[in-house]
Amino acid sequence: MEAVVMGTEVAALWPGHDHTKPPKMKKPQICLWKDLSEHDMETLERAEDLHRALAKVLSLEGGLAEPRTSVLLDLYYYTLRFCWECGFTRVQTSSFFSIMKETHAVCQGSPLLNEEECYVYFQQLLLCHAVHRPPFSISLFTLPQALRISDYFLNTYFRQFKLYKYVFTPQVKLDLSISCDGISESEVTSDQGPGLADTTSEETGEVPTAGGFMDQQDESREGLGLENTDQRLGEEVAKQPNGHNLAGSATGSLREYIDQRLSVEMGRLKKEVDEKLHQTEEHLQGCIRGMEETRGQSARGKKGGKRQSAKGK
């Protein structure tokens, strides 16, 4: 029996990715004027309504009514307010804004909880802007500024990390499909009472639905006098070419098949365990015999040494 589980929404958002494992971590890169240009910074500094100005600059005006967009704009709003309170230059503000955005992208890049991976990525991204080692990193922030940025991230974003994860991670829905080795799909569909379905269609001209199956069965028995339906069903099921003793329903047949397979597997596992226990027992007995032989040889050697010393005296 094989079971295939797949997340429909996750597969659409992350195609070609193993959804049970976190994605590969992005390589941190220098972010200079990546998301906010100098003209954008000037526009934001002069804006009266910073939320609307951010939505216009980031092309988020169409989703202002959505909760995710509102949370995202609040995150970026307080990021800019922090930069202005610290007295950062425009290039520093733009770079810090990109650091926040890139870290948030890594957060929502996986449906799994990846707080530790996000923090490691943030540290590496901050070092790219705090250490003078071109072309891999530049000294854009001083050491006190880098420490202040790190404290701000810990006290704001990573303190509320699970809330951000809950808001921006799509709901995962599972599609479960089960395939049996010994039963095909045609056999499973044929197990759904073929004799009863044929009899009901011949007598009433209607095929019962899943919801009213039992009601129509009772009505057909009482009103149409189908007292021998069970006997006829048994005869028709016994004539099936596959030779299986079907119970008249897909659920019963599948349960019977599963019980058979489980009993076979349990017998096989029991046999393997018994063999391993027997081998372990033989190994222990051999070790015990070896230890006894070694002890006996050492004891005989000591006795022989005492006799020789007594003869010498």
Side-chain angles (χ1 to χ4, degrees):
M1 181 180 298
E2 298 178 355
V4 179
V5 181
M6 185 67 176
T8 54
E9 294 188 8
V10 177
L13 292 173
W14 298 282
H17 171 63
D18 186 359
H19 312 297
T20 60
K21 300 179 181 179
K24 294 182 179 180
M25 190 61 61
K26 297 170 58 178
K27 186 178 180 180
Q29 297 179 351
I30 300 174
C31 302
L32 285 178
W33 309 112
K34 183 176 181 180
D35 299 294
L36 296 178
S37 63
E38 191 170 2
H39 176 70
D40 295 335
M41 292 300 306
E42 184 178 357
T43 303
L44 293 174
E45 290 174 357
R46 295 179 179 180
E48 297 180 358
D49 190 349
L50 188 55
H51 277 86
R52 290 190 176 276
L54 270 172
K56 185 176 181 180
V57 170
L58 300 176
S59 303
L60 297 175
E61 294 178 300
L64 288 176
E66 297 181 1
R68 290 185 181 180
T69 304
S70 178
V71 174
L72 195 60
L73 288 177
D74 285 341
L75 174 65
Y76 295 154
Y77 170 82
Y78 289 107
T79 300
L80 291 177
R81 299 298 302 181
F82 168 77
C83 294
W84 292 339
E85 289 175 1
C86 293
F88 289 171
T89 62
R90 289 183 178 179
V91 63
Q92 287 177 334
T93 303
S94 176
S95 298
F96 178 61
F97 184 89
S98 298
I99 290 174
M100 175 67 77
K101 190 175 180 181
E102 288 293 320
T103 305
H104 181 65
V106 173
C107 166
Q108 62 179 353
S110 170
L112 306 176
L113 190 62
N114 57 345
E115 184 175 3
E116 186 174 348
E117 290 81 0
C118 286
Y119 184 67
V120 172
Y121 179 75
F122 158 71
Q123 287 181 322
Q124 295 175 354
L125 200 58
L126 183 59
L127 287 175
C128 286
H129 300 80
V131 178
H132 184 70
R133 194 166 66 93
F136 306 103
S137 62
I138 58 175
S139 180
L140 184 62
F141 299 106
T142 63
L143 179 59
Q145 289 175 338
L147 292 176
R148 194 168 182 179
I149 289 173
S150 180
D151 292 339
Y152 175 79
F153 255 86
L154 288 174
N155 294 327
T156 57
Y157 188 80
F158 286 106
R159 184 182 294 274
Q160 308 296 335
F161 184 84
K162 292 184 178 180
L163 293 178
Y164 285 112
K165 194 73 176 177
Y166 175 78
V167 172
F168 290 96
T169 300
Q171 183 180 4
V172 179
K173 296 181 180 179
L174 300 181
D175 294 334
L176 178 63
S177 60
I178 301 176
S179 60
C180 302
D181 296 338
I183 300 178
S184 62
E185 294 183 0
S186 59
E187 293 177 356
V188 173
T189 53
S190 65
D191 294 346
Q192 299 177 355
L196 180 59
D198 297 340
T199 306
T200 310
S201 61
E202 291 176 2
E203 298 291 343
T204 63
E206 298 178 356
V207 178
T209 59
F213 181 80
M214 297 303 297
D215 296 337
Q216 292 188 12
Q217 182 180 4
D218 295 337
E219 292 176 359
S220 62
R221 287 175 181 274
E222 296 176 0
L224 301 177
L226 300 179
E227 294 84 4
N228 298 327
T229 304
D230 293 337
Q231 183 178 0
R232 291 161 60 185
L233 272 175
E235 294 176 356
E236 292 184 8
V237 169
K239 294 177 182 179
Q240 293 292 331
N242 52 16
H244 292 289
N245 185 13
L246 302 177
S249 65
T251 305
S253 177
L254 184 59
R255 185 180 294 110
E256 181 182 355
Y257 174 75
I258 292 174
D259 292 339
Q260 293 177 357
R261 291 298 299 270
L262 285 176
S263 62
V264 173
E265 292 296 327
M266 290 297 294
R268 183 179 61 82
L269 290 175
K270 184 179 179 181
K271 184 177 179 181
E272 292 180 358
V273 171
D274 292 340
E275 291 179 355
K276 290 182 179 180
L277 288 175
H278 183 67
Q279 293 176 359
T280 304
E281 184 179 0
E282 290 182 351
H283 178 70
L284 291 175
Q285 289 179 357
C287 292
I288 292 172
R289 287 194 298 269
M291 292 174 62
E292 290 178 350
E293 292 176 358
T294 305
R295 185 179 300 175
Q297 291 177 359
S298 61
R300 288 194 296 269
K302 290 181 180 180
K303 290 181 179 179
K306 291 181 178 180
R307 291 177 182 176
Q308 290 179 0
S309 60
K311 290 179 179 181
K313 291 179 180 180

